[in-house]
Amino acid sequence: NPRTAIAFDLPEPSPVRLTIHDPSGRRVRALVDDVRGAGRNTVLWDGRDDAGRIVATGTYFARIDAGDYQQACKMVLMK
């Protein structure tokens, strides 16, 4: 199933940017670029790029920037 849920917790409302990148660092998709509320937040990625095209099977990275916090996680998209 080429769909995944990315969950993150915020201690207080914060501006959040959540993006998907390929292994070369190129941005594939911007999922969130707005203020999110405190607590658990979940965002779905449907395996598509910003233009709506289905991306290839492979490794991708989800990067989150929320205030001073930054983290990236590795994902494998399999079809």
Side-chain angles (χ1 to χ4, degrees), residues 49-65:
D49 66 11
D50 280 331
R53 297 177 297 243
I54 296 172
V55 300
T57 296
T59 302
Y60 293 89
F61 296 88
R63 178 181 167 142
I64 185 168
D65 296 289

Side-chain angles (χ1 to χ4, degrees), residues 28-73:
V28 173
R29 178 93 182 256
L31 296 175
V32 175
D33 192 8
D34 60 13
V35 175
R36 291 292 172 118
R40 173 65 52 138
N41 288 263
T42 304
V43 178
L44 295 176
W45 181 42
D46 59 3
R48 295 179 183 271
D49 66 11
D50 280 331
R53 297 177 297 243
I54 296 172
V55 300
T57 296
T59 302
Y60 293 89
F61 296 88
R63 178 181 167 142
I64 185 168
D65 296 289
D68 294 332
Y69 178 79
Q70 297 178 348
Q71 184 175 357
C73 66

Side-chain angles (χ1 to χ4, degrees), residues 1-50:
N1 188 347
R3 189 181 324 208
T4 190
I6 302 165
F8 55 93
D9 296 309
L10 296 173
E12 59 189 33
S14 294
V16 174
R17 178 174 294 150
L18 176 59
T19 52
I20 306 296
H21 299 264
D22 67 14
S24 68
R26 183 179 66 88
R27 190 184 87 187
V28 173
R29 178 93 182 256
L31 296 175
V32 175
D33 192 8
D34 60 13
V35 175
R36 291 292 172 118
R40 173 65 52 138
N41 288 263
T42 304
V43 178
L44 295 176
W45 181 42
D46 59 3
R48 295 179 183 271
D49 66 11
D50 280 331

